[in-house]
Amino acid sequence: MAFGFFNKISPPAVESVQSLELRVSGMRGTQLYELTVQNGTARLEHYAMRYSEKREERVLLRQATCDATPVLALLNACRLPAWHGFHGAHPRGVRDGIMFSLRAVYNGDTNLQAEGSQNFPPHYRAFTDGLNDLLNQYGEEC
């Protein structure tokens, strides 16, 4: 039995973000996006992860600073709170792909965790495209 009204329930709006970390791994390496918002200003950093001498090092590729408004609009447009608890198991028969893990604290003390392996929550691509658009529009390469 399907309950269509569940599709109409909206997740709570993201009004503030204390921290957000998105780690994306594939055959060509691992990238990390870190987002913090303080006093209405958002700071987004994009790193490549490098491994040397059995240590993980973050290499800053790009960073952006902007008003929090477009960042919050992106998070709400992608319905980020609805991702909490998402676990996208790797599809059977797929030999490689992209893995992601997302950790965030928003609206004061609400935690969000999601992860997947070649299996993503709705609006995932719009979210990652939006992060890169913010970096392109407001950022600088390092």
Side-chain angles (χ1 to χ4, degrees):
M1 176 182 242
F3 294 99
F5 66 88
F6 282 118
N7 295 331
K8 297 177 183 174
I9 297 173
S10 294
V14 177
E15 297 172 0
S16 65
V17 177
Q18 286 61 53
S19 64
L20 183 146
E21 180 181 288
L22 172 65
R23 183 178 286 257
V24 181
S25 301
M27 290 185 63
R28 296 185 183 200
T30 300
Q31 297 188 39
L32 177 68
Y33 296 85
E34 287 187 337
L35 171 69
T36 55
V37 179
Q38 292 183 342
N39 302 320
T41 299
R43 180 167 179 83
L44 178 59
E45 297 170 327
H46 178 210
Y47 296 93
M49 306 308 288
R50 302 284 187 247
Y51 303 92
S52 65
E53 298 180 20
K54 299 182 182 180
R55 285 188 2 197
E56 183 177 72
E57 296 177 7
R58 300 181 335 165
V59 177
L60 184 62
L61 300 175
R62 301 181 292 169
Q63 59 187 359
T65 303
C66 66
D67 182 77
T69 303
V71 172
L72 296 175
L74 173 65
L75 300 180
N76 285 307
C78 294
R79 300 173 51 98
L80 207 72
W83 295 13
H84 182 63
F86 180 88
H87 175 73
H90 195 78
R92 189 175 208 135
V94 175
R95 295 188 184 262
D96 58 14
I98 302 294
M99 297 179 298
F100 85 95
S101 69
L102 175 72
R103 308 275 182 265
V105 178
Y106 68 98
N107 293 354
D109 62 354
T110 303
N111 289 301
L112 183 147
Q113 293 185 13
E115 61 184 28
S117 178
Q118 204 54 34
N119 195 343
F120 308 99
H123 313 294
Y124 175 82
R125 295 273 186 236
F127 175 63
T128 57
D129 288 349
L131 291 176
N132 285 307
D133 288 347
L134 289 167
L135 285 162
N136 290 336
Q137 184 173 358
Y138 299 105
E140 57 189 58
E141 292 190 23
C142 299

